[in-house]
Amino acid sequence: MKQTSEQTKRDQLLRAALELFAANGLNVPTAKVAAAAGVANGTLFNYFPTKQDLIDALYLDIKREFTGLLQDSAVHPGEDFRAASLAIWKSFVAWALANPLKHQVMNLLLNGQALSEKARNESEGMAQPFKKHLEAAIKRSEFAKELTVEDLMEVKGALATTCIASAMERKLKGKPLEKHIALVFEVYWRGVVR
């Protein structure tokens, strides 16, 4: 499918914002984003009326990308929940390692509380299929009863981030990377199951 010039400009702006936010944080002026994208500052505001709109669009585009990949690994009724959870874990880690800037900026925007309430709500909606699977697993007593879905997602997110950072720092590839991913998942799994 051929992109329109409008889509190309939007993508150029988001790519420039991604690279600048990763390198400099969120205090980058929109004029710098526009210049890095090779467009006039006014053109940026045709696509993103405010800097908040730019931030939200960047985050939601990244979230849609990796959520779409995770949907392919999602747990389906009747599947081994542990095996499906490991598949989701592997998909997320692989995506983050293949897209380090996107992973970095996604965390920066989320953890820096830079998102609008509207973007947070849309992001929450993207996570609903995964939350439903966790809720069902809790009802089946696969996890410790004291844990909530939010607890499980926070623990999983923290350990996945640690797994990714360690793999990047140690430049793991191939079998050592696979072993590392499986080991950190096992730490997560043993910490949350009954």
Side-chain angles (χ1 to χ4, degrees):
M1 184 168 130
K2 188 177 177 184
Q3 282 192 322
T4 65
S5 67
E6 296 298 308
Q7 184 64 38
T8 301
K9 284 181 187 175
R10 181 184 185 279
D11 291 346
Q12 286 173 286
L13 287 162
L14 290 175
R15 182 68 194 178
L18 174 74
E19 291 171 359
L20 288 168
F21 291 164
N24 305 299
L26 298 178
N27 291 328
V28 174
T30 55
K32 246 186 166 172
V33 174
V39 302
N41 196 34
T43 301
L44 181 144
F45 293 114
N46 289 334
Y47 293 90
F48 308 105
T50 67
K51 186 173 180 182
Q52 186 64 59
D53 292 324
L54 173 65
I55 287 169
D56 289 348
L58 178 59
Y59 178 80
L60 292 171
D61 274 15
I62 294 168
K63 181 96 183 233
R64 274 186 210 95
E65 179 183 320
F66 90 80
T67 302
L69 294 174
L70 297 183
Q71 291 287 355
D72 295 338
S73 305
V75 182
H76 301 287
E79 281 189 291
D80 174 6
F81 190 75
R82 183 187 185 287
S85 295
L86 177 58
I88 290 171
W89 179 279
K90 286 179 177 179
S91 292
F92 177 67
V93 173
W95 174 85
L97 293 174
N99 298 281
L101 289 184
K102 289 180 180 179
H103 181 252
Q104 176 188 346
V105 170
M106 181 180 71
N107 286 332
L108 172 70
L109 297 175
L110 187 59
N111 297 333
Q113 303 201 358
L115 302 176
S116 69
E117 185 177 342
K118 181 181 175 191
R120 283 186 178 277
N121 290 339
E122 190 172 335
S123 175
E124 284 292 313
M126 290 181 218
Q128 282 307 310
F130 304 105
K131 287 184 174 185
K132 286 181 181 181
H133 292 302
L134 290 174
E135 288 168 356
I138 289 170
K139 285 181 184 174
R140 290 190 307 268
S141 299
E142 293 195 39
F143 294 113
K145 286 190 179 191
E146 302 80 26
L147 293 173
T148 65
V149 169
E150 288 74 21
D151 294 334
L152 291 168
M153 292 185 80
E154 283 184 33
V155 170
K156 193 172 194 176
L159 282 172
T161 298
T162 299
C163 179
I164 292 159
S166 178
M168 285 180 177
E169 183 179 313
R170 295 164 49 199
K171 296 177 175 56
L172 296 177
K173 300 217 184 290
K175 292 288 180 192
L177 175 60
E178 290 174 26
K179 185 177 178 182
H180 173 71
I181 291 170
L183 177 66
V184 180
F185 176 81
E186 195 61 33
V187 169
Y188 161 73
W189 193 257
R190 289 184 183 185
V192 296
V193 295
R194 293 175 61 66

